[in-house]
Amino acid sequence: MKQRVTYHDQTDAKNILRLREILKELPPFAKDYFRGIDTTTSTRTRISYAYDIKVFFQFLRENNPIYKTFELTDFRLSDLDKVTPQDLIEYMEYLKLYHVKENEAVGNKPVRNGERALKRKMSALRSFYAFFYKHEMISKNPTLLVDMPKIHEKAIVRLDAGETAALLDYIENCGSSLKGQEAVYFKKTKERDLALVTLLLGTGIRVSECVGLDIEDVDFRNDRIKVVRKGGNEAYVYFGDEVEAALKRYLVVRDGIQPAPGHEHALFYSTQRRRMSVRSVENLVEKYASHVTTTKHITPHKLRSTYGTALYRETGDIYLVADVLGHKNVDTTRRHYAAMDDDRRRSAASAVHLRKD
């Protein structure tokens, strides 16, 4: 029997081809690094690192007169040894705002990096240097002498219980207030949208995991779905009665759709009968949520936070929440839900009475 090519197989194949194209623009020795991290990183991570390292060489060319006439492919390993910690401090300043050339018509496009993007780019460079230093191909690693950018944690935005119910109710009933083409479109997508949002709220899976689902990944016998986590690991995520009911209603509609070639296995179809993209799911969630709350910018990731919050409140088990959400490090989960721990500790103040009334 012919083996099914999954969405993730297709995505990896596209990413590998894209990475090869980017590597043509980088110094030849960069290929050694990407071969070295091939088995420990995802194709998506390697592409991100390739873009980030490209920016570093762009910085050297623009800010060091020695490299002014260089193409990126002209750099040699010996040039890495010439970089000082002070150069890296200047690089971090450069990353806050720089320009990239898109094409002759558009010209230069400004790029701004916040704290998280800045830290990711520095992490990529630190990994790049560490590889060559470990293999004794360079004599210095200046990235170890520069502090990594600090990340200031932001308050987690999530829906409360009333807003969650209101969101699902709105998707279920808003069709009665629509007219004309809008009503026709809503009727066509209602069960899909309700199933998709219910699944996100009821399992906490990532939007990338959601769009990657195939019909074969849904197991009603065991009430679970098979997802591919960040990094490529497979995991089973279990769902409850509400998710099951919403999925089954949608599958009745899905059975009547003739998919576009190559998209036969996708669980969620777009109106073009193709697998839904991450962006289309983001637009869908933001559209519906804007009718429920105007003070919160709700995205699929916020629905994931909503699920994690509800699960932690019900169980108080941070390790369970980390496992279900697919966090590799429980400290990540604990940071996200630290405020809830404060609430629990605060309740302890009134739990013990020193004097009986």
Side-chain angles (χ1 to χ4, degrees):
M1 186 174 70
K2 186 177 179 181
Q3 186 175 3
R4 171 168 60 99
V5 178
T6 68
Y7 165 77
H8 301 283
D9 293 334
Q10 294 172 338
T11 301
D12 275 349
K14 290 178 183 177
N15 285 344
I16 289 169
L17 294 176
R18 180 62 189 137
L19 180 59
R20 288 175 183 170
E21 291 302 310
I22 303 170
L23 287 178
K24 291 178 183 178
E25 304 173 35
L26 291 175
F29 62 84
K31 292 180 181 178
D32 294 333
Y33 166 71
F34 284 98
R35 290 192 197 101
I37 65 170
D38 182 83
T39 58
T40 57
T41 57
S42 68
T43 54
R44 183 179 177 183
T45 295
R46 294 198 292 280
I47 284 180
S48 295
Y49 277 21
Y51 278 122
D52 293 342
I53 290 164
K54 181 180 176 181
V55 173
F56 173 67
F57 285 109
Q58 176 184 315
F59 158 78
L60 291 179
R61 185 175 62 184
E62 291 180 11
N63 292 271
N64 191 321
I66 297 174
Y67 304 122
K68 186 176 181 180
T69 60
F70 270 41
E71 296 295 332
L72 298 191
T73 51
D74 293 334
F75 282 92
R76 297 293 178 261
L77 257 175
S78 57
D79 293 309
L80 291 185
D81 263 330
K82 298 174 183 176
V83 175
T84 67
Q86 185 60 39
D87 291 328
L88 297 183
I89 292 172
E90 292 176 9
Y91 176 53
M92 283 193 280
E93 193 63 33
Y94 171 85
L95 287 175
K96 294 176 182 178
L97 176 62
Y98 59 94
H99 292 78
V100 295
K101 191 168 185 176
E102 290 195 317
N103 55 56
E104 294 299 331
V106 175
N108 290 337
K109 173 186 175 184
V111 177
R112 292 177 174 82
N113 286 290
E115 291 177 339
R116 293 187 183 281
L118 185 61
K119 186 169 184 178
R120 191 199 73 200
K121 284 180 167 58
M122 290 304 297
S123 295
L125 186 60
R126 180 171 280 189
S127 172
F128 191 64
Y129 259 92
F131 173 81
F132 293 110
Y133 186 70
K134 176 182 177 181
H135 290 85
E136 300 181 342
M137 300 167 77
I138 56 176
S139 61
K140 295 184 295 185
N141 185 355
T143 65
L144 297 177
L145 303 177
V146 177
D147 292 333
M148 292 292 282
K150 185 177 180 180
I151 301 294
H152 294 86
E153 295 296 333
K154 297 180 180 179
I156 293 179
V157 177
R158 56 175 77 86
L159 295 173
D160 60 35
E163 290 169 333
T164 298
L167 175 61
L168 295 174
D169 288 344
Y170 180 80
I171 299 173
E172 201 161 33
N173 302 311
C174 72
S176 60
S177 62
L178 301 176
K179 299 186 183 299
Q181 197 61 36
E182 275 191 331
V184 173
Y185 182 84
F186 173 76
K187 184 177 180 181
K188 189 175 181 180
T189 63
K190 171 186 172 181
E191 297 300 345
R192 180 203 68 185
D193 296 354
L194 192 58
L196 200 155
V197 173
T198 303
L199 180 65
L200 291 172
L201 281 168
T203 61
I205 60 174
R206 298 176 177 88
V207 62
S208 58
E209 295 165 352
C210 180
V211 300
L213 287 171
D214 286 344
I215 184 66
E216 294 87 353
D217 295 326
V218 183
D219 176 7
F220 286 115
R221 179 174 297 177
N222 295 294
D223 290 335
R224 66 186 185 181
I225 52 175
K226 183 173 70 174
V227 299
V228 178
R229 295 293 197 190
K230 286 173 66 175
N233 294 325
E234 291 185 351
Y236 286 104
V237 178
Y238 292 83
F239 53 76
D241 294 341
E242 291 173 287
V243 173
E244 178 183 12
L247 283 174
K248 285 185 174 179
R249 288 195 301 271
Y250 164 64
L251 290 182
V252 173
V253 177
R254 183 188 178 281
D255 285 344
I257 297 174
Q258 180 63 42
H263 296 264
E264 295 84 1
H265 297 282
L267 176 59
F268 291 110
Y269 288 134
S270 69
T271 51
Q272 288 76 40
R273 300 174 291 113
R274 304 169 70 85
R275 183 185 298 274
M276 292 187 74
S277 67
V278 167
R279 188 62 201 148
S280 62
V281 175
E282 290 172 341
N283 289 337
L284 180 155
V285 170
E286 290 173 21
K287 176 187 72 173
Y288 285 123
S290 67
H291 292 278
V292 174
T293 174
T294 57
T295 60
K296 300 175 183 177
H297 179 218
I298 300 301
T299 63
H301 191 73
K302 303 302 188 295
L303 300 188
R304 177 171 160 84
S305 297
T306 299
Y307 172 80
T309 300
L311 181 61
Y312 187 52
R313 280 183 176 146
E314 288 296 320
T315 66
D317 188 340
I318 198 70
Y319 293 95
L320 174 63
V321 176
D323 183 51
V324 173
L325 292 181
H327 289 165
K328 290 184 178 179
N329 191 334
V330 73
D331 288 338
T332 302
T333 318
R334 188 174 284 111
R335 282 200 308 272
H336 285 180
Y337 299 99
M340 294 178 61
D341 276 333
D342 288 341
D343 290 341
R344 290 160 62 85
R345 284 191 288 267
R346 191 175 292 113
S347 68
S350 57
V352 177
H353 300 280
L354 303 182
R355 295 187 182 188
K356 299 294 184 181
D357 292 334

